[in-house]
Amino acid sequence: MIEALLAGRWIAVWRRNYLVWRKLAAASIAGNIIDPLFYLLGFGLGFSTMIPEVEGVKYIAFLAGGTICYTTMLAASFEALYSGFARMHVQRTWEGIMNAPVSLEDVVLAEWVWAASKSLLSGTAILLVAIALGLSQSWKMALIVPLAFLIGLSFAGMGLVMTAIAKSYDFFTYWFTLVLTPQMLLCGVFFPLSGLPGWVQAIASALPLTHAIAIGRPLFLGQWPQDGLVHAAVLAAWGIAGFAIALGLFRRRLLA
Amino acid sequence: MAILDAKALRKSYDGREVVAGIDLTLRKGECYGLLGPNGAGKTTTLRMLLGLTAPDSGSIELLGHPVPQAAREGRIRVGVVPQMDNLDPDFTVSENLLVYGRYFGMKESEVAARLPGLLEFAALETRGDSRIQALSGGMKRRLVLARALVNDPELIFLDEPTTGLDPQARHLMWERLRLLLRQGKTILLTTHFMDEAERLADRLAILDHGRMLAEGTPPALIAEHIEPEVVEVYGEGVEAWFGEHAMALSARAEIHGETAFCYLQDAEPLVANLKGFAHLRFLHRRANLEDLFLKLTGRDMRE
Ligand SMILES: Nc1ncnc2c1ncn2[C@@H]1O[C@H](COP(=O)(O)OP(=O)(O)O)[C@@H](O)[C@H]1O
Ligand SMILES: [Mg+2]
């Protein structure tokens, strides 16, 4: 992985994806912003009459920190699963690339970094919206931009494992309904973890979105996260393990 | 130096040997054809030669680089036209070429300089900004060929380059391939079309069930395996005629469906005999690759 990263052949593949995105950027950014914006305004404003404050901050500000994290999670997941599958299987784009002097590892690495780049782009977009809404004024939230990339690596790594074993797009529904949606509900996007039963908290503490929010929410609120590096290490570990497993599975699938 | 040298290649899938001992050496500037029915192992062979799948045994050297160990280095001077088009549907014609050049580490300006020549080669000069979906099958195929030339390769792999194209598009493709050969490129081509192999290949191998059944120049192969003349006979009562006369007057004869195929050193006596059967129609021709192919691979339908 390090060797392929340094060799830099993946960059040409990353740029291919970037060029496609740029051509469709307006629609893509709009889609990235509108959905979380609805959540923020709908839930945030709707609940704020019932729940004026959570953990000492306005509910909508509390919600915004979580929403940014789960939006970046979804951005990387959609890219690694649906778009990745299209390029690998439906359009045979990877096959074309591998006829050039680019290896499968270069291609998968590019997909991984690209999906994380999508997280970064969509995290940045929603951050700007949150600033425009006046929800955060701290400079610390700028650190959410690299955090979005890390969250992207974490979820894209695991997502690529699904892509490597998928027969069709239908398969991805399981990943979203059984893995990502539960994390959205259990990992503290909408309410603090402390309100949940102990055993749920135990499960949640192993899930990557919990760690993402443990860093992202304090930064958004202008505080330093507790054990920030530990949480970042957990995110990285999920991502790297996912990438390594996915690469092995892609090799079996495509280079047999 | 051989452009490509492969020895004793073998590959099994699920316990079935789909490439069962293939030796292949390409000389600079030649067009080599792998001719075989569906499932013969043509694509699998090409994938092994490119280092996209490892052979179970055997050795490969591609432009001086051992494959699969150094396949990436070998592919730097190779162009590939895959069996199925995999153009980028999100890009225009020109963008497809520009983006593909980057995979070879080419600079933007380098690819841009080659772009007009590549578009002209593909007869797509006016289509640079077209979307891929707007191209015909023949145009797409020529664009895939132009894309394979973006790195100015020495060796070009073509996997069934004209399957699914109409006659005009096939002829244009063949003309382009001959142009490449005149420029000194080496071509490895797979096909299941006899006419394509006969027109283009300097040497060819007939492949079936993963084995090379014969190898050589088309005329030498025909001379070696087949009688020089063929008479095809058809019409009402051909079976009765076949039983009585065909065997006696031919070196070899067989009947398939409603046609008798008679293979001979000299067709004169058989043609004279046929003049006496006004209800039978016949075609007297020289033996061709198809006769050889059918003799070696049989007449059973494949897939
Ligand atoms: N990845 C694979 N897994 C299993 N079987 C395969 C695989 N690739 C090819 N085959 C089988 O190997 C045989 C030869 O295939 P192929 O090389 O594509 O033939 P051709 O290109 O001559 O039509 C076929 O029976 C095909 O089904
Ligand atoms: Mg094939």
Side-chain angles (χ1 to χ4, degrees):
Chain A
M1 181 181 112
I2 304 292
E3 200 189 325
L5 193 66
L6 295 177
R9 290 180 298 266
W10 61 274
I11 296 170
V13 184
W14 184 94
R15 288 181 68 191
R16 179 239 164 248
N17 293 347
Y18 172 71
L19 182 57
V20 176
W21 176 81
R22 220 180 54 191
K23 294 181 79 157
L24 309 166
S28 171
I29 291 178
N32 278 330
I33 295 177
I34 288 168
D35 186 55
L37 194 61
F38 278 145
Y39 271 92
L40 257 187
L41 296 179
F43 277 126
L45 299 177
F47 278 126
S48 61
T49 52
M50 287 153 56
I51 324 164
E53 287 203 348
V54 177
E55 294 181 338
V57 298
K58 278 200 292 187
Y59 179 66
I60 191 165
F62 173 88
L63 180 64
T67 303
I68 291 173
C69 293
Y70 103 75
T71 303
T72 56
M73 166 185 92
L74 287 185
S77 302
F78 272 111
E79 193 64 29
L81 275 71
Y82 288 94
S83 309
F85 188 74
R87 291 188 284 263
M88 171 195 66
H89 182 76
V90 183
Q91 300 170 192
R92 297 169 163 269
T93 311
W94 293 13
E95 182 190 88
I97 297 170
M98 286 190 291
N99 284 330
V102 177
S103 69
L104 180 61
E105 185 174 2
D106 298 323
V107 174
V108 179
L109 185 60
E111 291 286 353
W112 190 38
V113 176
W114 168 246
S117 308
K118 284 288 292 277
S119 288
L120 186 148
L121 290 165
S122 90
T124 307
I126 175 124
L127 198 59
L128 293 174
V129 171
I131 294 170
L133 292 175
L135 295 177
S136 172
Q137 276 101 28
S138 168
W139 66 270
K140 289 188 185 118
M141 71 183 173
L143 292 173
I144 289 178
V145 174
L147 173 67
F149 188 77
L150 179 61
I151 295 172
L153 285 180
S154 193
F155 284 94
M158 294 179 277
L160 284 170
V161 174
M162 293 297 111
T163 308
I165 57 177
K167 297 259 185 300
S168 74
Y169 291 116
D170 299 336
F171 180 66
F172 298 141
T173 314
Y174 295 113
W175 183 250
F176 280 85
T177 56
L178 299 179
V179 177
L180 298 185
T181 306
Q183 290 196 55
M184 190 172 113
L185 298 173
L186 294 181
C187 298
V189 174
F190 300 109
F191 39 80
L193 276 179
S194 54
L196 295 169
W199 63 273
V200 178
Q201 287 189 42
I203 295 175
S205 68
L207 299 174
L209 188 60
T210 305
H211 297 276
I213 292 173
I215 309 174
R217 177 167 287 142
L219 287 177
F220 185 77
L221 299 174
Q223 303 150 7
W224 287 114
Q226 280 181 347
D227 302 324
L229 290 180
V230 174
H231 295 301
V234 173
L235 287 173
W238 275 105
I240 291 170
F243 171 80
I245 295 167
L247 181 58
L249 293 169
F250 280 126
R251 283 209 173 102
R252 276 201 3 212
R253 176 174 186 149
L254 301 171
L255 302 182
Chain B
M1 182 192 80
I3 293 277
L4 173 70
D5 194 19
K7 289 198 181 72
L9 293 185
R10 289 181 179 273
K11 180 84 186 176
S12 294
Y13 285 119
D14 314 318
R16 197 167 54 93
E17 207 162 32
V18 300
V19 174
I22 285 187
D23 296 283
L24 188 67
T25 304
L26 257 65
R27 301 174 196 139
K28 188 167 171 41
E30 77 173 335
C31 177
Y32 191 103
L34 283 176
L35 180 60
N38 273 335
K42 302 183 294 295
T43 300
T44 305
T45 302
L46 291 193
R47 290 183 68 234
M48 285 195 284
L49 297 175
L50 287 166
L52 298 175
T53 185
D56 297 339
S57 64
S59 68
I60 302 166
E61 208 170 278
L62 177 64
L63 295 167
H65 300 277
V67 172
Q69 300 83 346
R72 247 185 12 78
E73 286 78 0
R75 292 203 299 269
I76 291 174
R77 300 303 313 279
V78 173
V80 180
V81 174
Q83 184 167 357
M84 278 193 247
D85 289 342
N86 51 16
L87 292 163
D88 232 313
D90 297 308
F91 292 144
T92 63
V93 168
S94 296
E95 284 168 340
N96 260 281
L97 298 172
L98 288 168
V99 168
Y100 207 73
R102 288 192 199 136
Y103 302 143
F104 290 86
M106 295 171 73
K107 285 207 279 298
E108 212 95 334
S109 56
E110 240 180 305
V111 188
R114 287 181 60 74
L115 196 63
L118 290 169
L119 289 176
E120 191 195 333
F121 182 85
L124 292 169
E125 299 96 319
T126 60
R127 293 300 205 123
D129 296 326
S130 293
R131 292 179 57 79
I132 298 305
Q133 291 83 342
L135 302 184
S136 70
M139 289 174 177
K140 281 187 198 158
R141 213 69 189 127
R142 292 199 301 279
L143 179 57
V144 176
L145 176 59
R147 192 183 69 174
L149 301 176
V150 77
N151 57 327
D152 192 20
E154 273 181 69
L155 170 62
I156 303 156
F157 284 52
L158 297 126
D159 198 357
E160 303 201 11
T162 67
T163 299
L165 299 189
D166 61 36
Q168 287 83 357
R170 295 182 77 204
H171 278 275
L172 189 49
M173 188 63 137
W174 291 336
E175 188 205 303
R176 290 310 194 245
L177 295 182
R178 276 193 292 263
L179 199 62
L180 290 172
L181 290 168
R182 279 205 295 281
Q183 291 168 9
K185 309 276 187 205
T186 310
I187 289 182
L188 176 59
L189 164 104
T190 82
T191 184
H192 59 247
F193 294 120
M194 314 303 142
D195 54 343
E196 186 159 281
E198 204 151 7
R199 273 162 203 269
L200 292 172
D202 301 307
R203 286 194 303 145
L204 61 86
I206 294 183
L207 207 66
D208 199 15
H209 302 298
R211 260 175 257 278
M212 270 193 188
L213 304 178
E215 189 194 38
T217 66
L221 279 172
I222 293 166
E224 183 183 340
H225 294 274
I226 293 271
E227 298 74 10
E229 301 196 26
V230 183
V231 180
E232 292 181 26
V233 188
Y234 44 99
E236 200 76 41
V238 66
E239 275 159 45
W241 171 85
F242 182 83
E244 218 165 305
H245 303 278
M247 289 304 199
L249 292 167
S250 316
R252 199 160 57 84
E254 29 189 74
I255 189 156
H256 295 282
E258 277 143 26
T259 307
F261 293 84
C262 306
Y263 300 91
L264 333 87
Q265 293 299 331
D266 175 11
E268 210 61 50
L270 186 87
V271 171
N273 167 282
L274 279 167
K275 299 259 159 70
F277 297 85
H279 57 285
L280 292 177
R281 294 195 288 159
F282 69 92
L283 170 70
H284 174 199
R285 60 176 175 79
R286 295 221 302 230
N288 61 26
L289 215 45
E290 184 153 1
D291 301 309
L292 168 67
F293 187 79
L294 291 174
K295 181 181 173 193
L296 295 178
T297 64
R299 288 177 185 268
D300 312 332
M301 283 295 291
R302 306 292 167 89
E303 287 160 44

